[in-house]
């Protein structure tokens, strides 16, 4: 490793600190302000339940919520691969989650948005294997959507 590379590596933390990066869970940060302070709306279906469960894993459950997070989750299954016999071998499950974060005390909308993603599942084998693969893909998709929402919430200016 050249001396130029070593110097660059040593000064990298200083450069990152100077450009405004701060720990997301540091004192007074968005992460600590949202931890155990967000009440997530009740789910309407299995997809909504899976998203809410993951959000509560990441943000905690609020005993005295400061914020209310409202969700609308939608998903659909699309045929992806068809063989010569017109049998579907693979599906994509495409999901979208719309969210609105509201400050409870004032009713002010802090942030809102939409996230989307997809996962795939195989439809080969037995009916039980196909259903299990689809259920697993749906759980992974809802976890991805919830994680995307958390990332967006953590990057929001709450003031």
């Amino acid at each position: 490793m050249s001396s130029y590379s070593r110097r660059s590596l040593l000064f990298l933390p200083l450069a990152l600190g100077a450009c405004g990066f701060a720990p997301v869970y540091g004192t007074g940060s968005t992460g600590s302000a949202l931890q155990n302070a967000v009440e997530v709306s009740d789910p309407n279906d299995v997809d909504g339940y899976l998203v809410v469960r993951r959000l509560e894993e990441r943000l905690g459950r609020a005993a005295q919520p400061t914020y209310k997070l409202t969700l609308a989750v939608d998903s659909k299954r699309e045929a992806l691969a068809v063989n010569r016999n017109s049998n579907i071998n693979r599906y994509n499950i495409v999901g979208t989650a719309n969210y609105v974060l509201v400050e409870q005390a004032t009713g002010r909308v802090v942030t809102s948005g939409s996230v989307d993603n997809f996962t795939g599942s195989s439809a080969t084998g037995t009916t039980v294997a196909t259903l299990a693969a689809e259920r697993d893909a749906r759980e992974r998709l809802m976890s991805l959507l919830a994680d995307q929402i958390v990332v967006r919430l953590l990057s929001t200016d709450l003031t």
Side-chain angles (χ1 to χ4, degrees), residues 4-21:
Y4 179 72
S5 300
R6 284 189 210 129
R7 277 184 287 195
S8 299
L9 189 60
L10 290 173
F11 287 113
L12 184 63
L14 294 174
L16 288 176
C19 65
F21 284 116

Side-chain angles (χ1 to χ4, degrees), residues 73-87:
V73 181
D74 184 38
S75 67
K76 62 182 175 181
R77 187 173 81 158
E78 298 176 343
L80 186 63
V82 180
N83 67 12
R84 284 183 240 152
N85 299 330
S86 297
N87 295 324

Side-chain angles (χ1 to χ4, degrees), residues 48-135:
Y49 166 76
L50 293 169
V51 172
V52 169
R53 183 179 73 182
R54 180 65 177 166
L55 286 169
E56 288 180 347
E57 285 174 10
R58 297 281 311 271
L59 297 173
R61 239 184 200 188
Q64 297 176 344
T66 307
Y67 302 97
K68 172 81 173 176
L69 182 65
T70 306
L71 296 171
V73 181
D74 184 38
S75 67
K76 62 182 175 181
R77 187 173 81 158
E78 298 176 343
L80 186 63
V82 180
N83 67 12
R84 284 183 240 152
N85 299 330
S86 297
N87 295 324
I88 300 170
N89 290 336
R90 189 142 185 91
Y91 288 98
N92 266 355
I93 301 173
V94 180
T96 303
N98 299 307
Y99 63 93
V100 178
L101 183 68
V102 176
E103 190 174 31
Q104 297 244 37
T106 63
R108 174 180 67 98
V109 174
V110 178
T111 187
S112 63
S114 179
V115 294
D116 55 58
N117 217 318
F118 72 96
T119 56
S121 67
S122 176
T124 58
T126 65
T127 304
V128 173
T130 300
L131 291 173
E134 182 180 344
R135 184 177 59 242

